[in-house]
Amino acid sequence: MTDVIELAPGFRPDQLEGFRIGVTSDRRSGDLIDALVRRGAQVQHAPTLRMANALSDDPVIADTRTVIEARPDVLLATTAYGVRRWFEVADAAGLGDALVEALSETAILVRGPKARGGIRAAGLNDVGMSAEETTESLIDEVLATRPAGLTVAVQLHGFLNPSQLDRLRDAHDRVLTVEPYRWIEPDESDERVDRLIESACTGGLDCITFTSAPAVHALFAAAEVRGRLEDLIDAMCGPVVAAAVGPVTAAPLIAAGIEPIQPERFRMGALIRLVCEHLESERVLRLDTRHGPLELRGSVVDVDERRVALAPVALMILRALVLARGSVVARDRLTAALPGTDDEHALEVALSRLRQTLGVRGLIATVVKRGYRIDV
């Protein structure tokens, strides 16, 4: 079953103009990126994990033969892609019909609607879905509703704590697994994750989207290796919105003290709509000044009936001034926030460039010996 990305009512091609969004997913990332770009966003793509098929299908074929021979009492189907690839490999090996026949009397439990679609596309039917759309809740269901001593097969989806399989082994005679695909880290020559982390930590992103929990763990691990984990978490607790497709994906973010936004329906289309709504309603800074209204959205500012793109340093300075809403922002505070320097002369140069870019004389006022403020 395909998760169709539909245009939300009221779709506008400028909904996300000025906002910079990081995308961490690999599979179906093109759909997500296209939807965000069509709404005006700047997208930075950095897949933290890559979905990969095995170099050889021999292990999948061997596991399939074992499943066919065992004719399991229960099958846990966890992902649509995994189910489809499993049956494609089986078909290519001449085992497709035998696999369908072996599972025809099996009680198939699915993790969610997509896995259900994969099972039905294979010509089979399921007997139920997990309560929380997680593999763990599938296992809870088996342990709570099925008698002990069964043969249970599990279609793995690349990331499952081994202790979860141990729970099944403790209760049942035989637990079989098949792993049609797996997650791997990006190649060391791929610097996109490095750039994403740096952008998030230095004001270059407004939002990061996540569509799987392994992607969150992988990003945190990459940041920790680079000594930027605390900076990354601080950023996602502040100016960078973390957007998760559902509660399973959100769990490692919440465990790190981050409060992600997540849609009521755990689907990519719903995630896109939520990102649009949240950034427009919560992350556009508006301020009435003596020189007219000012609106800061992502990396652009609407001022003097013009839309102006800002460089990262200029954006950092203007954001601090707008958030102060006319109060004075101390020079040392602004200087300390400059990347790579604490030189007050660098601040003066950056402020001069910002004033020239805005083109509104007197909008940013200097308060002698104290700092700067927006003239409201």
Side-chain angles (χ1 to χ4, degrees):
M1 183 180 297
T2 302
D3 179 20
V4 177
I5 299 180
E6 299 177 351
L7 298 185
F11 164 81
R12 303 191 321 276
D14 66 343
Q15 276 181 301
L16 295 176
E17 186 169 348
F19 289 110
R20 302 146 305 166
I21 301 177
V23 171
T24 61
S25 58
D26 176 40
R27 182 173 171 269
R28 295 199 67 211
S29 60
D31 294 337
L32 176 55
I33 292 169
D34 181 62
L36 296 172
V37 169
R38 281 187 288 122
R39 289 160 170 80
Q42 302 171 47
V43 175
Q44 189 170 345
H45 184 210
T48 54
L49 287 175
R50 184 163 56 87
M51 184 183 291
N53 298 333
L55 294 176
S56 168
D57 288 333
D58 290 347
V60 179
I61 294 170
D63 290 339
T64 301
R65 293 186 189 278
T66 301
V67 169
I68 292 171
E69 180 182 355
R71 305 180 73 87
D73 301 294
V74 178
L75 168 66
L76 306 187
T78 59
T79 63
Y81 176 76
V83 171
R84 287 198 305 271
R85 170 153 168 76
W86 183 16
F87 279 86
E88 287 169 0
V89 172
D91 283 336
L95 299 172
D97 291 342
L99 180 59
V100 172
E101 197 277 329
L103 297 175
S104 60
E105 300 299 324
T106 299
I108 302 175
L109 295 168
V110 297
R111 193 176 68 145
K114 294 182 185 179
R116 170 172 284 166
I119 287 296
R120 292 182 178 177
L124 297 165
N125 287 306
D126 66 274
V127 298
M129 186 185 303
S130 68
E132 301 174 6
E133 295 192 24
T134 66
T135 306
E136 290 80 356
S137 64
L138 266 184
I139 293 172
D140 291 341
E141 178 77 10
V142 172
L143 297 177
T145 63
R146 304 284 163 174
L150 302 179
T151 296
V152 180
V154 183
Q155 174 251 314
L156 298 175
H157 62 94
F159 183 83
L160 181 66
N161 191 313
S163 65
Q164 295 298 326
L165 292 178
D166 290 340
R167 295 171 62 206
L168 284 174
R169 294 187 180 103
D170 290 342
H172 295 289
D173 290 346
R174 195 175 184 192
V175 176
L176 310 174
T177 61
V178 59
E179 188 174 25
Y181 68 92
R182 58 196 174 90
W183 294 106
I184 62 174
E185 294 184 1
D187 187 272
E188 290 184 0
S189 63
D190 189 341
E191 298 180 348
R192 289 178 293 176
V193 173
D194 285 342
R195 292 196 292 266
L196 181 88
I197 292 169
E198 190 64 21
S199 293
C201 294
T202 57
L205 286 178
D206 302 291
C207 177
I208 303 177
T209 63
F210 299 94
T211 57
S212 73
V216 179
H217 289 296
L219 182 63
F220 284 170
E224 186 170 25
V225 167
R226 293 155 180 78
R228 301 304 299 268
L229 180 57
E230 290 187 7
D231 295 335
L232 178 63
I233 292 174
D234 286 346
M236 287 196 285
C237 288
V240 181
V241 176
V245 75
V248 177
T249 302
L253 294 165
I254 294 170
I258 299 164
E259 296 184 9
I261 60 171
Q262 49 184 312
E264 293 183 4
R265 294 182 66 250
F266 314 147
R267 301 290 177 266
M268 194 182 294
L271 177 65
I272 293 165
R273 286 191 292 272
L274 179 61
V275 167
C276 289
E277 294 166 1
H278 184 83
L279 292 180
E280 280 198 302
S281 64
E282 302 295 331
R283 295 303 171 108
V284 175
L285 300 179
R286 298 177 176 88
L287 184 63
D288 289 326
T289 78
R290 294 180 61 185
H291 307 268
L294 181 153
E295 182 176 285
L296 184 61
R297 46 184 299 125
S299 62
V300 301
V301 57
D302 291 338
V303 62
D304 195 27
E305 299 183 350
R306 294 177 298 117
R307 175 161 287 180
V308 181
L310 298 177
V313 172
L315 177 62
M316 180 277 298
I317 294 172
L318 184 59
R319 178 178 292 275
L321 294 173
V322 171
L323 286 172
R325 310 194 72 80
S327 297
V328 177
V329 180
R331 292 173 60 90
D332 57 357
R333 177 184 160 193
L334 291 175
T335 301
L338 292 178
T341 181
D342 57 359
D343 182 3
E344 286 198 2
H345 176 67
L347 174 63
E348 293 171 0
V349 170
L351 273 161
S352 176
R353 289 175 179 168
L354 173 58
R355 284 167 164 151
Q356 291 176 12
T357 299
L358 295 175
V360 181
R361 180 181 292 274
L363 178 63
I364 299 177
T366 300
V367 181
V368 179
K369 296 184 179 180
R370 292 181 59 195
Y372 305 90
R373 68 178 184 86
I374 297 289
D375 187 21
V376 298

